[in-house]
Amino acid sequence: MRDDIRIVLVGDGGVGKSTLVTALIKETFVVNVQAVVPEVTIPPEVTPENVTTHIIDTSSKGDDQEILETELRKANVVCIVYAVDDRASFQRVHEHWLPLLRQQGINLPVILVGNKVDMRDEDITHVTVLEEEVVPIMNEYREIEICVECSAKALLNVSELFYFAQKAVLHPTRPLYDARDHAMKQKCTEALVRIFRLCDMDSDGILSDAELNEFQRKCFNTPLQQRELEGVKDIVKASRPDGVTDGGLNIEGFLYLHLLFIQRGRVETTWMVLRRFGYGDDLSLREDYLCPEFDVPSDCCVELSPGGYAFFTEIFKRYDADGDSAFSPEELDSIFELSPGIPWKRGKFPESTVTNAAGCVTLEGWLAQWSMTTLLDYKQTLAYLAYFGFPGDIRDGIRLVGRYGGSGSALSASSSALRRRKRGKLQRNVFLCYVVGAAGSGKTSLIRAFAKKSFSDDYAPTARSTTTVNSVDVKGSEKYLVMQEFGPYDTSVLQSRRQLECCDLLVMVYDSSDPNSFAYLTNLRKNYSLDNLPVIFVATKSDLDYVEQRGEQPPDIYCRELKLTAPVYVSVKNGQIASVFQRMAAITRSPQSATPALLLSRPQAWSAAQIVGVTALAGLGLVSTFVAYHAIKYWWTSAVHSRPHSAPTIPRRREL
């Protein structure tokens, strides 16, 4: 809501514009005032709406036309003043002043001000003037918010005049109400229906006393006493008996209550409700409500916090009308009526997540889908948290946890994949995996199996990136893997440093029955800088005949050279998955265990077998040396004692 207002007074000369401004400031009637008083600024603390108010007086002289038009372009509300005792000044309202505003392209709320009511002919009543003269003008010019009759001399309705001018800006009637049809406008009705559904916590179509009190507390910070609740229902029942049931207020009664507020001049009450639920002056949800501002460091990614998972779980249970723990298409439509629609249709939803046998999204799939959305585009999750009515002020209630916000947040931040690879094991719940491979290698079948979809023999080449998400249990902890599949010709992701830094695991898939399939992966590694990514090789179609892969090295030796584990052989068709997804999740938690650049840079470490072997050889060497020494000694001794006595002898050193 704005924090300052410019009120511009226009009208013929002598109708009392300057006198009204002076009477407001001095709180007394001043007989002689200057023709045009200077701009008056009223501080917010002395205004009912707590906004800074600027009041601008104008001249109706032709010489001042340019100044008048300039002020009108800067105005927020225009007060057209006429004198009730001057018929000509009233005629000029609809003959000159209102057409002038339209000619200038000025679409602002207008207050009609009938001054000098103390001078009116006693034979003419206030009601007669309104019904016969003012109402037809208001019907013709919908920009007119209200008509106020006042008297600067008698200090009658002077402060009220400027209060209504403030209200016309801060709480305009035109967006909510059609004065000609005496009905609320469509956008207002739609907004209030959405608010009703958000407050109907048990989705029974009725606001119970407890739900009405929670609505009252949320919007006005004060609960209602039981007699006050009964009074509200009695007011509705008096004119709309079908708007109240034994259980409470239904949607018809809720809408009628707001219609009464508007028609009785309490439009600010309806605006307080609308703004509390994030609506702006155009009755659209505000941008700052859908996407509150906060900074996420460039080396961090965002995921749902426990509070976020709890909220989406509550939403699921509330809109699971038949209680079968799955969202049917009708139930999905019901919940997304609160928003612009399902945000994942381009991603082949619900094929992208877990469904039951009937194709309905389970709670597991629902939470997995939001986990994926938050990781890939947290701003979209923020918007839908607002659409679904995340409790509390959306601007204060959704922050990053830890050093970025409070514990009641729906989102949390953690280090990016790149930072994790440098620092080692960190706690996270959602990981991004890129799945690459040659055409026909089985990428699609693999990620479909991850989402628990049945195997299909139908082959369709991957034309564009597709995404699948599901949870994996890792040592009793639930982690989510977001699997993004890329076609053989979609290598742009491997060329983008920013996208590679987001990747937690590179899943390289090849067809074990196709001799050329593995060579595609080795060529990818030659052409792109992938050594800094954790990687796992998956050999699909293990149910078919094994063939030797063409290339410089067989897959197992190639992996050994990179100090990686051997490829995991799977058969999606036969359901032989070999816990490959659990292995992927384990790598994402300890990426250094499968990152070639880190493994190859480590100093050579001897294995236990190598140590035993070397020790054995060393021991064997000592034994051999001992045996050789005694063998030589024995030979030498034997030779000396067996030589002929005529043979020359070598004198001993001590004999020389």
Side-chain angles (χ1 to χ4, degrees):
M1 192 165 66
R2 65 173 58 249
D3 54 10
D4 70 323
I5 295 173
R6 291 183 67 85
I7 303 173
V8 175
L9 277 67
V10 301
D12 290 349
V15 295
K17 302 187 296 296
S18 303
T19 308
L20 283 170
V21 177
T22 306
L24 175 71
I25 301 304
K26 296 185 177 295
E27 297 184 348
T28 186
F29 175 65
V30 179
V31 178
N32 297 314
V33 298
Q34 60 191 98
V36 178
V37 299
E39 178 178 326
V40 173
T41 300
I42 303 176
E45 57 269 17
V46 299
T47 64
E49 297 294 340
N50 197 33
V51 293
T52 302
T53 304
H54 307 276
I55 302 174
I56 296 90
D57 189 15
T58 62
S59 170
S60 59
K61 294 180 180 179
D63 295 342
D64 298 325
Q65 184 70 18
E66 185 174 345
I67 299 175
L68 172 65
E69 293 176 359
T70 300
E71 291 297 343
L72 287 175
R73 284 192 291 270
K74 295 190 295 182
N76 301 122
V77 57
V78 178
C79 295
I80 303 179
V81 184
Y82 65 93
V84 298
D85 64 336
D86 183 355
R87 186 67 183 177
S89 69
F90 179 74
Q91 293 290 341
R92 291 262 297 171
V93 169
H94 62 88
E95 291 178 357
H96 173 71
W97 292 109
L98 287 169
L100 174 65
L101 296 181
R102 291 188 174 182
Q103 290 169 9
Q104 296 296 322
I106 296 170
N107 185 22
L108 296 172
V110 173
I111 307 294
L112 291 186
V113 182
N115 192 22
K116 304 184 181 181
V117 292
D118 57 296
M119 303 292 290
R120 172 181 285 153
D121 189 338
E122 295 181 357
D123 295 334
I124 303 176
T125 65
H126 170 73
V127 175
T128 302
V129 172
L130 288 178
E131 290 181 352
E132 296 182 359
E133 299 182 347
V134 176
V135 170
I137 297 176
M138 295 180 68
N139 288 336
E140 181 179 355
Y141 293 89
R142 297 194 178 187
E143 55 265 43
I144 300 175
E145 287 281 325
I146 195 171
C147 178
V148 180
E149 292 193 335
C150 59
S151 170
K153 185 175 183 179
L155 297 181
L156 176 65
N157 287 342
V158 175
S159 59
E160 286 79 1
L161 155 65
F162 294 101
Y163 170 67
F164 283 123
Q166 288 179 332
K167 281 183 56 176
V169 178
L170 301 176
H171 314 298
T173 303
R174 284 191 296 164
L176 310 184
Y177 185 70
D178 190 330
R180 186 177 298 174
D181 297 333
H182 304 289
M184 281 193 298
K185 292 185 176 179
Q186 182 66 26
K187 290 191 69 173
C188 178
T189 300
E190 292 173 356
L192 291 173
V193 168
R194 175 179 171 273
I195 291 170
F196 179 91
R197 292 190 61 192
L198 290 176
C199 296
D200 181 15
M201 300 302 294
D202 54 9
S203 298
D204 64 351
I206 297 172
L207 292 185
S208 64
D209 288 354
E211 290 168 339
L212 272 173
N213 245 333
E214 178 60 24
F215 164 79
Q216 176 77 11
R217 185 203 60 76
K218 180 181 178 70
C219 296
F220 308 105
N221 297 319
T222 55
L224 293 174
Q225 300 297 323
Q226 187 60 39
R227 58 182 178 80
E228 294 173 319
L229 285 170
E230 295 300 328
V232 169
K233 289 186 282 188
D234 288 342
I235 291 173
V236 174
K237 192 181 298 184
S239 299
R240 292 284 195 282
D242 56 348
V244 180
T245 68
D246 293 338
L249 203 66
N250 61 23
I251 184 61
E252 288 78 11
F254 185 75
L255 292 176
Y256 177 71
L257 197 60
H258 283 280
L259 180 63
L260 284 181
F261 289 147
I262 297 170
Q263 290 179 336
R264 295 181 180 181
R266 294 178 56 191
V267 67
E268 66 274 13
T269 302
T270 299
W271 271 117
M272 288 180 68
V273 172
L274 292 167
R275 288 186 174 122
R276 190 64 186 83
F277 283 86
Y279 287 93
D281 290 348
D282 61 350
L283 290 182
S284 298
L285 289 173
R286 301 188 310 271
E287 187 65 25
D288 67 318
Y289 183 80
L290 294 176
C291 189
E293 293 184 6
F294 56 81
D295 294 327
V296 179
S298 58
D299 62 346
C300 287
C301 52
V302 183
E303 58 186 40
L304 286 175
S305 70
Y309 282 112
F311 175 72
F312 280 116
T313 300
E314 177 191 341
I315 288 293
F316 183 92
K317 293 178 179 179
R318 188 194 307 180
Y319 288 91
D320 180 19
D322 53 12
D324 64 347
S325 298
F327 269 158
S328 66
E330 294 75 20
E331 289 167 339
L332 278 172
D333 290 341
S334 176
I335 183 172
F336 282 109
E337 283 178 357
L338 301 171
S339 71
I342 298 176
W344 313 302
K345 287 189 175 180
R346 292 189 61 188
K348 298 182 179 179
F349 178 80
E351 284 293 305
S352 59
T353 193
V354 183
T355 58
N356 61 14
C360 299
V361 180
T362 63
L363 175 59
E364 179 186 8
W366 173 253
L367 295 179
Q369 194 72 20
W370 285 113
S371 299
M372 177 188 71
T373 302
T374 306
L375 180 68
L376 300 180
D377 184 5
Y378 72 88
K379 291 185 178 181
Q380 187 173 71
T381 299
L382 279 177
Y384 276 82
L385 285 167
Y387 291 135
F388 295 157
F390 183 78
D393 190 332
I394 202 78
R395 292 167 295 180
D396 296 332
I398 299 182
R399 302 174 183 166
L400 302 182
V401 300
R403 63 190 179 97
Y404 303 110
S407 60
S409 305
L411 304 183
S412 62
S414 57
S415 298
S416 66
L418 177 62
R419 192 176 179 186
R420 291 179 64 253
R421 292 196 289 273
K422 292 180 178 178
R423 296 178 57 183
K425 184 176 179 180
L426 291 176
Q427 295 298 321
R428 261 179 63 195
N429 293 316
V430 189
F431 303 95
L432 179 61
C433 308
Y434 290 162
V435 183
V436 298
S441 59
K443 303 184 298 298
T444 302
S445 295
L446 182 68
I447 67 172
R448 279 179 54 83
F450 180 53
K452 301 180 181 179
K453 308 297 181 184
S454 58
F455 176 78
S456 173
D457 286 313
D458 297 334
Y459 172 69
T462 302
R464 62 183 180 88
S465 170
T466 57
T467 306
T468 299
V469 60
N470 198 359
S471 60
V472 180
D473 184 86
V474 181
K475 296 181 180 180
S477 177
E478 190 175 53
K479 306 296 180 182
Y480 290 94
L481 298 184
V482 178
M483 311 278 281
Q484 280 196 337
E485 173 195 2
F486 297 93
Y489 304 106
D490 186 9
T491 57
S492 59
V493 65
L494 302 181
Q495 302 174 27
S496 170
R497 179 180 176 183
R498 182 183 62 82
Q499 288 183 283
L500 289 180
E501 289 178 354
C502 295
C503 178
D504 292 291
L505 176 64
L506 184 63
V507 182
M508 306 197 84
V509 181
Y510 70 95
D511 180 356
S512 62
S513 67
D514 180 356
N516 299 311
S517 188
F518 187 75
Y520 173 84
L521 301 179
T522 59
N523 287 333
L524 282 183
R525 295 192 60 81
K526 288 180 181 178
N527 296 330
Y528 304 101
S529 300
L530 305 178
D531 281 349
N532 288 316
L533 291 178
V535 63
I536 183 172
F537 286 88
V538 180
T540 60
K541 307 181 185 180
S542 62
D543 56 301
L544 302 180
D545 292 338
Y546 174 80
V547 298
E548 292 289 339
Q549 292 291 322
R550 294 171 187 162
E552 298 178 0
Q553 294 174 314
D556 57 337
I557 297 178
Y558 183 84
C559 290
R560 193 184 310 157
E561 291 287 333
L562 295 175
K563 298 188 178 182
L564 299 171
T565 58
V568 182
Y569 283 82
V570 301
S571 171
V572 176
K573 184 176 182 178
N574 289 352
Q576 299 169 354
I577 302 299
S579 301
V580 66
F581 303 121
Q582 283 74 16
R583 297 190 191 190
M584 293 179 187
I587 292 174
T588 57
R589 296 183 71 243
S590 300
Q592 68 275 16
S593 66
T595 305
L598 297 177
L599 295 172
L600 294 172
S601 65
R602 291 176 178 174
Q604 180 67 35
W606 286 3
S607 66
Q610 288 175 314
I611 294 172
V612 171
V614 170
T615 304
L617 288 173
L620 180 60
L622 290 173
V623 172
S624 300
T625 302
F626 178 79
V627 172
Y629 167 76
H630 285 280
I632 293 171
K633 180 180 180 182
Y634 174 78
W635 172 80
W636 178 260
T637 304
S638 300
V640 169
H641 287 285
S642 63
R643 69 181 183 272
H645 292 285
S646 57
T649 60
I650 301 176
R652 296 177 182 178
R653 179 175 296 275
R654 69 174 180 266
E655 294 175 350
L656 294 177

